[in-house]
Amino acid sequence: MRHLIPSWVRVPIIFFIIFGAVEFFIDSGDKPAFIEYPVVLLFLFLVLLILIAIEAIVSALENVMLHKLDDEAKARFLAEKESKYQFTWIKETYKKLLGSKPIEEEGEIILDHNYDGIKELDNNLPPWWLYGFYISIIFAAVYLLRYHVFNGDSQIDELETELAEARTAIEAYKKTAKNLVDINTVTMLTDAADISAGKSVFDTNCVACHMADGGGGIGPNLTDDYWILGGDIKSVFKTVSEGGRSGKGMIAWKQQLKPLQMAQVASYVLTLQGTTPAKPKAAEGDLWGNDATEE
């Protein structure tokens, strides 16, 4: 088997078989294993060196053996080796696919007429071309029935389906990717880590106007049921992001805070509802929530 495939073909084949096995059996996520794990790259490099070394050693031993043979034996060995490298089975397969007559039999299919001494052979169409033509006819018939008789999905239909699936996937991703939250997708965060992060943002940026307990100072009281711009999570998020009333409300924080931080601080602000601040400011705005409905 070794003599059937030259070393310059054999070494890459063996190497890529080993490479494929490594990639298949090692779970490296989205990255190739040899990038994720440098030791894998080192292993593959050593494998390549070993393969090259084996080929070099075998070639050297073969040369030593040739030097020990007489001229006749050496010529016989080289001729046998050369014949094995000819890939005769490929030539035979090619001849069958070509479907032509050998030169010795061309007299059977030569045509009577000639043009300026040039004669023409009556060869049959090559089998590969003929079978390809038949397959094309069958494919065309199936295609006609599938898409023009039974109204199968066209490429436009497939594109629209894929786009719909992509939109669904994007929406699903946005629900789990907190940093992509916006006014339309924000929801009340209840995780302790998010509330704690929201409190940190509030203590850093909001206590100057709303006091540490949310009782209000320059800004309104955040602990009562009255809100100037709405008291649900979307309204509070929008107020934090876009700012308060023009000319007398708070600044827009969207340039300084990330979407996740705004969602966290908005959620923290809503946890202050119903608490008792030390010096609560008088209510401002409209009654919000169930109490407003009851009135």
Side-chain angles (χ1 to χ4, degrees):
M1 181 65 183
R2 184 177 179 278
H3 290 294
L4 294 178
I5 305 176
S7 59
W8 59 270
V9 175
R10 184 167 56 251
V11 169
I13 288 176
I14 296 174
F15 176 77
F16 281 110
I17 288 174
I18 296 173
F19 177 84
V22 169
E23 287 293 333
F24 179 79
F25 287 107
I26 296 180
D27 185 7
S28 57
D30 295 332
K31 296 181 179 179
F34 69 91
I35 293 179
E36 186 70 16
Y37 306 109
V39 68
V40 174
L41 180 61
L42 177 61
F43 168 76
L44 292 172
F45 180 70
L46 290 176
V47 167
L48 183 59
L49 288 181
I50 291 171
L51 289 174
I52 294 173
I54 291 174
E55 289 297 327
I57 292 171
V58 171
S59 179
L61 292 175
E62 192 174 85
N63 289 333
V64 170
M65 183 190 71
L66 282 174
H67 282 298
K68 294 180 180 180
L69 297 176
D70 56 37
D71 292 340
E72 184 179 347
K74 185 186 297 186
R76 188 166 55 251
F77 175 81
L78 292 175
E80 182 180 350
K81 181 180 177 181
E82 183 67 22
S83 66
K84 290 179 179 178
Y85 278 138
Q86 296 301 315
F87 297 100
T88 55
W89 62 274
I90 295 180
K91 292 183 178 180
E92 293 299 324
T93 304
Y94 174 75
K95 287 180 180 178
K96 290 180 180 179
L97 290 175
L98 198 59
S100 60
K101 291 276 188 178
I103 295 177
E104 296 81 7
E105 301 177 13
E106 284 185 351
E108 301 175 6
I109 57 172
I110 194 168
L111 297 175
D112 294 334
H113 59 271
N114 65 77
Y115 301 92
D116 296 330
I118 300 174
K119 296 184 179 181
E120 186 178 4
L121 297 178
D122 188 19
N123 275 316
N124 293 324
L125 289 170
W128 66 266
W129 189 95
L130 198 59
Y131 296 146
F133 181 64
Y134 292 153
I135 292 171
S136 299
I137 294 174
I138 294 172
F139 176 83
V142 173
Y143 187 93
L144 176 66
L145 293 173
R146 177 72 176 86
Y147 294 104
H148 296 281
V149 176
F150 298 108
N151 296 320
D153 292 340
S154 66
Q155 291 180 331
I156 298 298
D157 296 327
E158 292 177 359
L159 175 62
E160 291 176 349
T161 300
E162 291 177 1
L163 288 176
E165 292 174 352
R167 294 189 193 99
T168 302
I170 290 172
E171 292 303 319
Y173 175 72
K174 284 183 176 179
K175 291 179 181 179
T176 57
K178 294 180 179 179
N179 265 322
L180 294 180
V181 67
D182 58 23
I183 183 61
N184 298 311
T185 60
V186 65
T187 57
M188 178 71 181
L189 302 176
T190 57
D191 188 77
D194 288 321
I195 299 301
S196 177
K199 184 178 185 305
S200 297
V201 175
F202 185 87
D203 292 342
T204 302
N205 303 287
C206 309
V207 295
C209 295
H210 296 284
M211 300 301 168
D213 56 9
I218 299 174
N221 183 355
L222 301 176
T223 65
D224 58 28
D225 293 325
Y226 288 82
W227 294 85
I228 298 173
L229 297 173
D232 63 327
I233 185 63
K234 292 184 183 297
S235 298
V236 177
F237 180 92
K238 182 179 180 181
T239 303
V240 174
S241 174
E242 305 299 329
R245 294 164 294 174
S246 177
K248 55 182 177 180
M250 73 174 186
I251 65 170
W253 289 95
K254 61 184 177 181
Q255 300 299 330
Q256 302 178 49
L257 298 177
K258 295 179 180 178
L260 175 58
Q261 291 176 309
M262 292 190 291
Q264 289 170 333
V265 73
S267 298
Y268 171 72
V269 165
L270 291 178
T271 66
L272 299 175
Q273 290 284 283
T275 60
T276 305
K279 296 180 180 180
K281 187 178 181 180
E284 298 177 75
D286 301 320
L287 188 63
W288 186 268
N290 294 331
D291 294 335
T293 303
E294 290 173 2
E295 289 188 0

